[in-house]
Amino acid sequence: MQLADHGLKYGSGLGIGKAFERLLRQNLIRQDVVLAARMLASAAADARMAGVNLPAMGSAGSRNYGLTAGRNHPSHCRGHHQPHWRFDRGHL
């Protein structure tokens, strides 16, 4: 989550995650779980590709694959205003 938070805060790299956030604030797109997952994964990939020195989960050779696979459950939890441990333990 640190990479995603960094990407959203600073608009690192291409700034795609931050662009999603800006469109949401301008009411040009609607908030839903899919958008939240897209926004967090994009922001984390932006930060990662900009060389931000924060940890990223690895999967099959590229850390960005791990970002895509591993960032979906936090966005689901944020979308439902639930702590991530509930998803991890199967409580959602």
Side-chain angles (χ1 to χ4, degrees), residues 21-78:
E21 186 180 51
R22 186 174 44 255
L23 291 171
L24 183 61
R25 264 192 325 236
Q26 295 171 345
N27 292 321
L28 297 173
I29 55 178
R30 286 187 331 151
Q31 174 70 34
D32 61 12
V33 174
V34 173
L35 175 65
R38 207 178 269 170
M39 190 165 46
L40 289 175
S42 297
D46 289 338
R48 175 84 177 136
M49 299 314 293
V52 173
N53 191 20
L54 290 170
M57 181 180 87
S59 173
S62 170
R63 299 282 192 271
N64 285 344
Y65 293 138
L67 294 173
T68 303
R71 290 301 89 201
N72 296 328
H73 89 272
S75 61
H76 179 78
C77 295
R78 282 185 179 180

